[in-house]
Coordinates of all heavy atoms in Angstrom, one line a residue:
M66 N 0.9 -1.2 0.0 CA 0.0 0.0 0.0 C 0.9 1.2 0.0 O 1.8 1.4 0.8 CB -0.9 0.0 1.3 CG -2.0 1.0 1.2 SD -3.4 0.3 0.4 CE -4.7 1.4 1.0
A67 N 0.7 2.1 -0.9 CA 1.5 3.3 -1.0 C 0.6 4.4 -1.5 O -0.5 4.2 -2.0 CB 2.7 3.0 -1.9
Q68 N 1.2 5.6 -1.4 CA 0.5 6.8 -1.8 C 1.1 7.4 -3.0 O 2.3 7.5 -3.1 CB 0.5 7.8 -0.6 CG -0.7 8.7 -0.5 CD -0.6 9.5 0.7 OE1 0.5 9.9 1.1 NE2 -1.7 9.9 1.3
C69 N 0.2 7.8 -4.0 CA 0.7 8.4 -5.2 C 1.3 9.8 -4.8 O 0.7 10.6 -4.1 CB -0.4 8.6 -6.1 SG 0.0 9.6 -7.6
E70 N 2.5 10.1 -5.3 CA 3.2 11.3 -4.9 C 2.6 12.5 -5.7 O 2.9 13.7 -5.3 CB 4.7 11.2 -5.1 CG 5.1 11.1 -6.5 CD 6.7 11.1 -6.6 OE1 7.3 10.2 -5.9 OE2 7.2 11.9 -7.3
V71 N 1.8 12.3 -6.7 CA 1.2 13.4 -7.4 C -0.1 13.8 -6.8 O -0.3 15.0 -6.4 CB 1.1 13.1 -8.9 CG1 0.4 14.2 -9.6 CG2 2.5 12.9 -9.5
C72 N -1.0 12.9 -6.7 CA -2.4 13.3 -6.3 C -2.7 12.8 -4.9 O -3.7 13.1 -4.3 CB -3.4 12.7 -7.3 SG -3.5 10.9 -7.3
G73 N -1.8 12.0 -4.3 CA -2.0 11.6 -2.9 C -2.9 10.5 -2.7 O -3.3 10.2 -1.6
N74 N -3.3 9.9 -3.8 CA -4.3 8.8 -3.7 C -3.6 7.6 -3.0 O -2.5 7.1 -3.4 CB -4.7 8.4 -5.1 CG -5.8 7.4 -5.2 OD1 -6.6 7.2 -4.2 ND2 -6.0 6.7 -6.3
D75 N -4.3 7.0 -2.0 CA -3.9 5.8 -1.4 C -4.5 4.6 -2.1 O -5.7 4.5 -2.2 CB -4.4 5.8 0.1 CG -3.3 5.7 1.1 OD1 -2.3 5.0 0.8 OD2 -3.5 6.3 2.1
Y76 N -3.6 3.8 -2.7 CA -4.2 2.8 -3.6 C -3.3 1.5 -3.5 O -2.1 1.6 -3.3 CB -4.0 3.4 -5.0 CG -4.6 2.7 -6.2 CD1 -5.9 2.2 -6.1 CD2 -3.9 2.5 -7.3 CE1 -6.4 1.5 -7.2 CE2 -4.4 1.8 -8.4 CZ -5.7 1.3 -8.4 OH -6.2 0.7 -9.4
D77 N -4.0 0.4 -3.6 CA -3.2 -0.8 -3.4 C -2.5 -1.3 -4.7 O -1.8 -2.3 -4.7 CB -4.1 -1.9 -2.9 CG -5.2 -2.3 -3.8 OD1 -5.4 -1.7 -4.9 OD2 -6.0 -3.3 -3.5
K78 N -2.7 -0.6 -5.8 CA -2.0 -1.0 -7.0 C -1.1 0.1 -7.5 O -0.9 0.3 -8.7 CB -3.0 -1.4 -8.1 CG -3.7 -2.7 -7.7 CD -4.6 -3.2 -8.9 CE -5.4 -4.5 -8.5 NZ -6.3 -4.3 -7.4
T79 N -0.4 0.8 -6.6 CA 0.5 1.8 -7.0 C 1.7 1.1 -7.7 O 2.0 -0.1 -7.4 CB 1.0 2.6 -5.8 OG1 1.4 1.7 -4.8 CG2 -0.1 3.6 -5.4
F80 N 2.5 1.8 -8.4 CA 3.7 1.2 -9.0 C 4.8 2.2 -8.8 O 4.6 3.4 -8.6 CB 3.5 0.9 -10.5 CG 3.1 2.0 -11.4 CD1 4.1 2.7 -12.1 CD2 1.8 2.4 -11.5 CE1 3.7 3.8 -12.9 CE2 1.4 3.4 -12.3 CZ 2.4 4.1 -13.0
E81 N 6.1 1.7 -8.9 CA 7.2 2.5 -8.7 C 8.0 2.8 -9.9 O 8.2 1.8 -10.7 CB 8.1 1.7 -7.7 CG 9.1 2.6 -7.0 CD 9.9 1.7 -6.0 OE1 9.3 1.1 -5.1 OE2 11.2 1.7 -6.1
V82 N 8.5 4.0 -10.1 CA 9.3 4.3 -11.3 C 10.6 4.8 -10.7 O 10.6 5.7 -9.9 CB 8.7 5.4 -12.2 CG1 9.6 5.7 -13.3 CG2 7.3 4.9 -12.7
V83 N 11.7 4.2 -11.2 CA 13.0 4.7 -10.7 C 13.7 5.5 -11.9 O 13.8 5.0 -13.0 CB 14.0 3.5 -10.3 CG1 15.3 4.0 -9.9 CG2 13.3 2.7 -9.2
M84 N 13.9 6.7 -11.6 CA 14.5 7.6 -12.6 C 15.7 8.3 -12.0 O 15.6 8.9 -10.9 CB 13.4 8.6 -13.0 CG 13.5 9.0 -14.4 SD 12.3 10.2 -14.8 CE 12.3 10.1 -16.6
E85 N 16.8 8.2 -12.6 CA 18.0 8.8 -12.2 C 18.3 8.5 -10.7 O 18.7 9.4 -9.9 CB 18.0 10.3 -12.4 CG 18.1 10.7 -13.9 CD 17.7 12.1 -14.2 OE1 17.4 12.8 -13.3 OE2 17.7 12.4 -15.4
G86 N 18.1 7.2 -10.3 CA 18.4 6.8 -9.0 C 17.3 7.1 -7.9 O 17.4 6.7 -6.8
Q87 N 16.3 7.9 -8.3 CA 15.3 8.2 -7.4 C 14.0 7.5 -7.7 O 13.6 7.4 -8.8 CB 15.0 9.7 -7.4 CG 16.0 10.6 -6.7 CD 15.5 12.0 -6.6 OE1 15.3 12.6 -7.6 NE2 15.4 12.5 -5.4
S88 N 13.4 6.9 -6.6 CA 12.2 6.2 -6.9 C 10.9 7.1 -6.7 O 10.9 7.9 -5.7 CB 12.1 4.9 -6.1 OG 11.6 5.2 -4.8
H89 N 10.0 6.9 -7.5 CA 8.7 7.6 -7.4 C 7.6 6.7 -7.4 O 7.6 5.6 -8.1 CB 8.6 8.6 -8.7 CG 9.7 9.5 -8.8 ND1 9.7 10.8 -8.3 CD2 10.9 9.4 -9.5 CE1 10.9 11.4 -8.6 NE2 11.6 10.6 -9.3
V90 N 6.5 7.0 -6.7 CA 5.4 6.1 -6.5 C 4.2 6.8 -7.1 O 3.9 7.9 -6.8 CB 5.1 5.7 -5.1 CG1 3.9 4.9 -4.9 CG2 6.3 4.9 -4.5
F91 N 3.5 6.1 -8.0 CA 2.3 6.6 -8.6 C 1.1 5.6 -8.6 O 1.3 4.4 -8.6 CB 2.6 7.0 -10.1 CG 3.8 7.9 -10.2 CD1 5.0 7.5 -10.7 CD2 3.6 9.3 -9.9 CE1 6.1 8.3 -10.8 CE2 4.7 10.1 -10.0 CZ 5.9 9.6 -10.5
D92 N -0.1 6.1 -8.7 CA -1.2 5.3 -8.8 C -1.7 5.1 -10.3 O -2.5 4.2 -10.6 CB -2.4 5.8 -8.0 CG -2.9 7.2 -8.5 OD1 -2.1 7.9 -9.1 OD2 -4.1 7.5 -8.3
S93 N -1.2 5.9 -11.2 CA -1.6 5.8 -12.6 C -0.5 6.4 -13.5 O 0.3 7.1 -13.0 CB -2.9 6.6 -12.8 OG -2.6 8.0 -12.6
F94 N -0.6 6.0 -14.7 CA 0.4 6.5 -15.7 C 0.2 8.0 -15.9 O 1.1 8.7 -16.2 CB 0.3 5.8 -17.0 CG 0.9 4.4 -17.0 CD1 0.2 3.3 -17.0 CD2 2.3 4.3 -17.0 CE1 0.8 2.0 -17.0 CE2 2.9 3.1 -16.9 CZ 2.2 1.9 -16.9
E95 N -1.1 8.4 -15.8 CA -1.4 9.8 -15.9 C -0.5 10.7 -14.9 O 0.1 11.7 -15.3 CB -2.9 10.1 -15.7 CG -3.2 11.5 -16.1 CD -4.7 11.7 -15.9 OE1 -5.5 10.8 -15.8 OE2 -5.1 12.9 -16.0
C96 N -0.5 10.2 -13.7 CA 0.2 10.9 -12.6 C 1.7 10.8 -12.9 O 2.5 11.7 -12.7 CB -0.1 10.3 -11.3 SG -1.8 10.8 -10.7
A97 N 2.2 9.6 -13.4 CA 3.6 9.4 -13.6 C 4.0 10.4 -14.8 O 5.1 11.0 -14.7 CB 3.8 8.0 -14.0
I98 N 3.2 10.5 -15.8 CA 3.6 11.4 -16.9 C 3.6 12.8 -16.4 O 4.5 13.6 -16.7 CB 2.5 11.2 -18.1 CG1 2.7 9.8 -18.7 CG2 2.7 12.3 -19.1 CD1 1.6 9.4 -19.6
H99 N 2.6 13.2 -15.6 CA 2.5 14.5 -15.1 C 3.8 14.9 -14.3 O 4.4 16.0 -14.5 CB 1.3 14.6 -14.2 CG 1.2 16.0 -13.6 ND1 0.6 17.0 -14.3 CD2 1.5 16.5 -12.4 CE1 0.6 18.1 -13.5 NE2 1.2 17.8 -12.4
A100 N 4.3 13.9 -13.6 CA 5.5 14.2 -12.7 C 6.8 14.0 -13.5 O 7.8 14.7 -13.2 CB 5.5 13.3 -11.5
L101 N 6.9 13.1 -14.4 CA 8.2 12.7 -14.9 C 8.5 13.1 -16.4 O 9.6 13.2 -16.8 CB 8.4 11.2 -14.8 CG 8.4 10.6 -13.4 CD1 8.6 9.1 -13.5 CD2 9.4 11.2 -12.5
A102 N 7.4 13.2 -17.2 CA 7.6 13.5 -18.6 C 8.3 14.9 -18.8 O 7.9 15.8 -18.2 CB 6.3 13.4 -19.4
P103 N 9.3 14.9 -19.6 CA 9.9 16.2 -20.0 C 8.9 17.0 -20.8 O 8.0 16.5 -21.5 CB 11.2 15.8 -20.7 CG 10.9 14.5 -21.3 CD 9.9 13.8 -20.4
T104 N 9.1 18.3 -20.9 CA 8.3 19.1 -21.8 C 9.1 19.6 -23.0 O 10.3 19.8 -22.9 CB 7.7 20.4 -21.0 OG1 8.8 21.0 -20.3 CG2 6.7 20.0 -20.0
C105 N 8.4 19.7 -24.1 CA 9.0 20.1 -25.3 C 9.5 21.5 -25.2 O 8.8 22.4 -24.7 CB 8.0 20.0 -26.4 SG 8.5 20.7 -28.0
A106 N 10.8 21.8 -25.6 CA 11.3 23.1 -25.4 C 10.7 24.1 -26.4 O 10.9 25.3 -26.2 CB 12.9 23.0 -25.6
H107 N 10.0 23.6 -27.4 CA 9.4 24.5 -28.3 C 7.9 24.8 -28.1 O 7.5 25.9 -27.9 CB 9.6 24.0 -29.8 CG 9.0 24.9 -30.8 ND1 9.5 26.1 -31.1 CD2 7.9 24.8 -31.6 CE1 8.8 26.7 -32.0 NE2 7.8 25.9 -32.3
C108 N 7.1 23.7 -28.0 CA 5.7 24.0 -27.9 C 5.2 23.7 -26.4 O 4.0 24.1 -26.1 CB 4.9 23.1 -28.8 SG 4.9 21.3 -28.4
G109 N 6.0 23.2 -25.6 CA 5.6 23.1 -24.2 C 4.8 21.9 -23.8 O 4.4 21.7 -22.7
C110 N 4.5 21.0 -24.8 CA 3.6 19.9 -24.5 C 4.5 18.8 -23.8 O 5.7 18.8 -23.9 CB 3.0 19.3 -25.7 SG 4.1 18.4 -26.9
Q111 N 3.9 17.9 -23.1 CA 4.7 16.9 -22.4 C 5.1 15.8 -23.4 O 4.3 15.3 -24.1 CB 3.9 16.3 -21.2 CG 3.7 17.4 -20.2 CD 3.5 16.8 -18.8 OE1 2.5 16.1 -18.6 NE2 4.4 17.1 -17.8
V112 N 6.3 15.4 -23.3 CA 6.9 14.4 -24.3 C 6.7 13.0 -23.7 O 7.4 12.7 -22.7 CB 8.4 14.7 -24.5 CG1 8.9 13.7 -25.5 CG2 8.5 16.1 -25.1
I113 N 5.8 12.3 -24.2 CA 5.6 10.9 -23.6 C 6.0 9.9 -24.6 O 6.0 8.7 -24.3 CB 4.1 10.7 -23.2 CG1 3.2 11.0 -24.3 CG2 3.8 11.6 -22.0 CD1 1.7 10.6 -24.0
G114 N 6.4 10.3 -25.8 CA 7.0 9.3 -26.8 C 8.5 9.4 -26.6 O 9.0 9.7 -25.6
H115 N 9.2 9.0 -27.7 CA 10.7 9.0 -27.6 C 11.2 10.5 -27.6 O 12.2 10.8 -26.9 CB 11.3 8.3 -28.8 CG 11.2 6.8 -28.7 ND1 10.3 6.1 -29.5 CD2 11.8 5.9 -27.9 CE1 10.3 4.8 -29.1 NE2 11.2 4.7 -28.2
G116 N 10.5 11.3 -28.3 CA 11.0 12.7 -28.4 C 12.3 12.8 -29.2 O 12.8 11.9 -29.7
V117 N 12.7 14.0 -29.3 CA 14.0 14.3 -30.0 C 14.9 15.1 -29.1 O 14.4 16.1 -28.5 CB 13.7 15.1 -31.3 CG1 15.0 15.5 -32.0 CG2 12.8 14.4 -32.2
E118 N 16.1 14.6 -28.9 CA 17.0 15.4 -28.0 C 18.1 16.0 -28.8 O 18.7 15.4 -29.7 CB 17.7 14.4 -27.1 CG 17.7 14.9 -25.6 CD 18.4 13.9 -24.7 OE1 18.0 12.7 -24.7 OE2 19.3 14.3 -24.0
A119 N 18.2 17.3 -28.7 CA 19.2 18.1 -29.4 C 19.7 19.2 -28.6 O 18.9 20.0 -28.0 CB 18.6 18.5 -30.8
D120 N 21.0 19.4 -28.6 CA 21.7 20.5 -27.9 C 21.2 20.6 -26.4 O 21.0 21.7 -25.9 CB 21.3 21.8 -28.6 CG 22.3 22.1 -29.8 OD1 23.3 21.3 -29.9 OD2 22.1 23.0 -30.6
G121 N 21.0 19.5 -25.8 CA 20.6 19.5 -24.4 C 19.1 19.8 -24.1 O 18.7 19.9 -23.0
A122 N 18.4 20.0 -25.2 CA 16.9 20.3 -25.0 C 16.1 19.1 -25.6 O 16.6 18.3 -26.4 CB 16.5 21.5 -25.7
I123 N 14.9 19.0 -25.1 CA 14.1 17.9 -25.6 C 12.9 18.4 -26.3 O 12.2 19.4 -25.9 CB 13.6 17.0 -24.4 CG1 14.8 16.2 -23.8 CG2 12.5 16.0 -24.8 CD1 14.5 15.3 -22.7
Y124 N 12.6 17.9 -27.5 CA 11.5 18.3 -28.3 C 10.5 17.1 -28.5 O 11.0 16.0 -28.5 CB 11.9 18.9 -29.6 CG 12.9 20.0 -29.5 CD1 14.3 19.8 -29.5 CD2 12.4 21.3 -29.3 CE1 15.1 20.8 -29.3 CE2 13.3 22.4 -29.1 CZ 14.7 22.1 -29.1 OH 15.5 23.1 -29.0
C125 N 9.2 17.4 -28.7 CA 8.3 16.3 -28.8 C 8.4 15.7 -30.2 O 8.0 14.6 -30.4 CB 6.9 16.8 -28.6 SG 6.3 18.1 -29.8
C126 N 8.9 16.4 -31.2 CA 9.0 15.9 -32.6 C 10.1 16.7 -33.3 O 10.5 17.7 -32.9 CB 7.6 16.0 -33.3 SG 7.1 17.7 -33.4
A127 N 10.5 16.2 -34.4 CA 11.5 16.8 -35.2 C 11.1 18.2 -35.7 O 11.9 19.1 -35.8 CB 11.9 15.9 -36.4
H128 N 9.8 18.3 -36.0 CA 9.3 19.6 -36.4 C 9.6 20.7 -35.4 O 10.1 21.8 -35.7 CB 7.8 19.5 -36.7 CG 7.1 20.8 -37.0 ND1 7.2 21.3 -38.3 CD2 6.4 21.7 -36.3 CE1 6.6 22.5 -38.3 NE2 6.1 22.7 -37.1
C129 N 9.3 20.4 -34.1 CA 9.6 21.4 -33.1 C 11.1 21.7 -33.0 O 11.4 22.9 -32.8 CB 9.0 20.9 -31.7 SG 7.3 21.1 -31.5
A130 N 11.9 20.7 -33.1 CA 13.3 20.9 -33.1 C 13.8 21.8 -34.2 O 14.6 22.8 -34.0 CB 14.1 19.6 -33.1
E131 N 13.2 21.6 -35.4 CA 13.6 22.4 -36.5 C 13.1 23.8 -36.4 O 13.8 24.8 -36.7 CB 12.9 21.8 -37.8 CG 13.9 20.8 -38.5 CD 13.1 20.0 -39.5 OE1 12.2 20.5 -40.2 OE2 13.4 18.8 -39.7
E132 N 11.9 24.0 -35.8 CA 11.4 25.3 -35.5 C 12.3 26.1 -34.6 O 12.3 27.3 -34.6 CB 10.0 25.2 -35.0 CG 8.9 24.7 -36.0 CD 8.5 25.8 -36.9 OE1 8.0 26.9 -36.5 OE2 8.7 25.6 -38.1
S133 N 13.0 25.4 -33.7 CA 13.9 26.0 -32.8 C 15.3 26.1 -33.3 O 16.2 26.4 -32.6 CB 13.9 25.2 -31.5 OG 12.6 25.2 -30.9
G134 N 15.5 25.8 -34.6 CA 16.8 26.1 -35.2 C 17.7 24.9 -35.2 O 18.9 25.0 -35.4
I135 N 17.2 23.7 -34.8 CA 18.0 22.5 -34.8 C 17.9 21.9 -36.2 O 16.8 21.5 -36.6 CB 17.6 21.5 -33.8 CG1 17.4 22.1 -32.4 CG2 18.6 20.3 -33.7 CD1 18.7 22.5 -31.6
A136 N 19.0 21.7 -36.9 CA 18.9 21.2 -38.2 C 19.3 19.7 -38.2 O 20.1 19.3 -37.4 CB 19.9 22.0 -39.2
G137 N 18.8 19.0 -39.1 CA 19.3 17.6 -39.3 C 18.8 16.6 -38.4 O 19.4 15.5 -38.1
V138 N 17.6 16.8 -37.7 CA 17.1 15.8 -36.8 C 15.9 15.1 -37.5 O 15.2 15.7 -38.4 CB 16.5 16.4 -35.5 CG1 17.7 16.8 -34.6 CG2 15.6 17.5 -35.7
S139 N 15.6 13.9 -37.1 CA 14.5 13.3 -37.7 C 13.8 12.4 -36.6 O 14.5 12.1 -35.6 CB 14.9 12.3 -38.8 OG 15.9 11.4 -38.4
D140 N 12.5 12.2 -36.8 CA 11.8 11.4 -35.8 C 12.4 10.0 -35.7 O 12.7 9.4 -36.7 CB 10.3 11.3 -36.1 CG 9.6 12.6 -35.7 OD1 9.9 13.2 -34.7 OD2 8.8 13.1 -36.5
R141 N 12.6 9.5 -34.5 CA 13.0 8.1 -34.3 C 11.8 7.2 -34.5 O 10.7 7.5 -34.1 CB 13.5 7.9 -32.9 CG 15.0 8.4 -32.7 CD 15.4 7.9 -31.3 NE 16.0 9.0 -30.6 CZ 16.3 9.0 -29.3 NH1 16.1 7.9 -28.6 NH2 16.7 10.0 -28.7
V142 N 12.1 6.1 -35.1 CA 11.0 5.2 -35.4 C 11.2 3.9 -34.5 O 12.3 3.6 -34.1 CB 10.8 4.8 -36.8 CG1 10.1 5.9 -37.5 CG2 12.2 4.5 -37.5
Ligands
ZN255 ZN1 -2.0 9.9 -8.7
ZN256 ZN1 6.7 20.3 -29.5

């Protein structure tokens, strides 16, 4: 039995995500995404797919990276 660290829900089917050595407990993927997903440096949406990493920033898609002046990126498949 654990408590979701985002919404505080006490739930018997919480799960743990370990990220960069720190463990986080959530009751749902929605809460996990809310807490852990990076945001696109261009449009600000949460990146829940692979995303595109360039120059230390994360973008949700190659289009956003290009709009931010990153050349030569393509979506990972
Ligand atoms: Zn929650
Ligand atoms: Zn974007």
Side-chain angles (χ1 to χ4, degrees):
M66 195 88 158
Q68 210 177 29
C69 173
E70 66 175 54
V71 174
C72 66
N74 188 20
D75 239 325
Y76 186 49
D77 64 354
K78 293 186 179 63
T79 49
F80 58 97
E81 196 180 306
V82 176
V83 178
M84 213 182 198
E85 289 164 5
Q87 281 191 301
S88 84
H89 303 268
V90 176
F91 305 106
D92 65 334
S93 66
F94 281 108
E95 189 180 347
C96 288
I98 288 165
H99 180 81
L101 302 179
T104 48
C105 174
H107 181 69
C108 70
C110 73
Q111 293 205 299
V112 181
I113 55 172
H115 288 106
V117 177
E118 224 181 310
D120 278 352
I123 292 181
Y124 302 95
C125 65
C126 60
H128 176 78
C129 280
E131 272 167 34
E132 291 282 302
S133 295
I135 311 285
V138 290
S139 55
D140 281 320
R141 277 190 235 169
V142 282

